[in-house]
Amino acid sequence: MRKAGRITAAARKLAGELVVPGVTTLEIDTAVRKFIESQGGKPSFLGYGGFTGSACISVNDVVIHGIPSKKVVLKEGDIVSVDVGAYVDGFHGDCAATYVCGETSDEAKRLIEVTEQSFWEGIKFARAGQRVSDISHAVQKYVESHGYSVVRDFVGHGVGAKLHEAPEVPNYGPAGHGARLQPGMTIAVEPMVCAGDWHVNVLKDGWTTVTVDGSLAAHYENTILITDGEPEILTTCD
């Protein structure tokens, strides 16, 4: 899991460095695939449920599951969420982050910052003995305190030999519910945050998920390990 996590995190970092005006989302996707394969892994998302990309690349009001395309050319001011996974030696890593293309508005930057910080607020409760929804509640409370909303239709999840495993890890709800966290569990915590209303719509392609009101959205995710003490971030390449 640690090896898969390191490779996944490095792929996310590479993708983020490629978020510049004039680049297509397909070019970023191709670079991600080649990197993961060069490290002896396989892109977790490629072919998953029929998905055609190696990464989900979602621009502006696309919350998640953006399909890489040569037709989507990044421009100054865009915010770009990149979600990547790598399957290495029988295990998956899964992580995401939202990047700024060139210069963008202060409001867009704030949305990205709040989304990432909500992850860190959530994993304060990712400790043995806590319940899954303790993480969920902390994420929602932080996001809403800044005037944003959390997506309800999609959630975080367990991750390991399969990309998506039990338990589900929502980003909303009251504390004190769900599975009790135990040492050795590995979960993907992934706040998906909208600048406006939380309702989303899945487009006709069956994947691309957009905000109903057209507001900007951001995404941040890491795979974490529950330990006897502080949670360990597995998707790090530092």
Side-chain angles (χ1 to χ4, degrees), residues 6 9 16 35 71 75 80 92 96 103 107 110 116 132 196 214 219 226 228 234-235:
R6 285 194 299 270
F35 173 77
K71 296 180 180 179
K75 62 183 186 301
V80 184
H92 293 272
E103 290 297 322
E107 178 58 27
R110 180 172 177 267
E116 180 172 348
V132 165
H219 186 195
I226 306 301
D228 289 318
L234 298 183
T235 41

Side-chain angles (χ1 to χ4, degrees), residues 8-9 21 26 32 47 55-56 76 87 101 108-109 124 133 135 149-150 159 171 190 198 204 215-216 234 236:
T8 305
L26 181 60
V32 166
C56 299
E76 189 85 11
Y87 183 65
C101 185
K109 293 176 183 177
K124 290 177 181 178
S133 76
I135 299 173
S149 63
V150 292
V159 58
N171 296 302
E190 52 176 319
W198 61 265
K204 291 181 180 179
S215 62
L216 294 177
L234 298 183
T236 178

Side-chain angles (χ1 to χ4, degrees), residues 32-223:
V32 166
R33 176 179 56 79
K34 288 182 177 179
F35 173 77
I36 292 173
E37 291 175 348
S38 76
Q39 301 301 303
K42 296 179 179 179
S44 300
F45 302 166
L46 185 59
Y48 184 86
F51 191 75
T52 57
S54 296
C56 299
I57 307 177
S58 307
V59 182
N60 295 330
D61 65 332
V62 181
V63 184
I64 52 172
H65 301 164
I67 301 172
S69 171
K70 63 182 180 182
K71 296 180 180 179
V72 181
V73 182
L74 300 183
K75 62 183 186 301
E76 189 85 11
D78 285 341
I79 64 171
V80 184
S81 299
V82 180
D83 190 355
V84 297
Y87 183 65
V88 183
D89 297 338
F91 293 93
H92 293 272
D94 190 5
C95 65
T98 302
Y99 300 96
V100 171
C101 185
E103 290 297 322
T104 193
S105 67
D106 289 341
E107 178 58 27
K109 293 176 183 177
R110 180 172 177 267
L111 172 65
I112 293 170
E113 290 169 359
V114 169
T115 301
E116 180 172 348
Q117 186 58 37
S118 73
F119 166 86
W120 297 105
E121 295 298 318
I123 69 162
K124 290 177 181 178
F125 297 89
R127 302 175 68 96
Q130 300 283 152
R131 292 194 179 273
V132 165
S133 76
D134 296 337
I135 299 173
S136 311
H137 182 69
V139 170
Q140 181 181 16
K141 182 178 179 181
Y142 184 81
V143 168
E144 293 182 350
S145 74
H146 288 79
Y148 299 132
S149 63
V150 292
V151 170
R152 311 293 179 92
D153 300 60
F154 298 90
V155 298
H157 50 90
V159 58
K162 295 181 180 179
L163 180 59
H164 294 102
E165 300 181 348
E168 290 190 343
V169 186
N171 296 302
Y172 66 94
H177 296 273
R180 194 173 296 280
L181 301 175
Q182 301 178 35
M185 292 176 67
T186 47
I187 58 176
V189 177
E190 52 176 319
M192 292 156 272
V193 179
C194 304
D197 186 80
W198 61 265
H199 288 89
V200 298
N201 183 41
V202 179
L203 301 186
K204 291 181 180 179
D205 59 30
W207 289 101
T208 308
T209 302
V210 301
T211 57
V212 169
D213 61 7
S215 62
L216 294 177
H219 186 195
Y220 189 78
E221 174 187 22
N222 281 303
T223 300

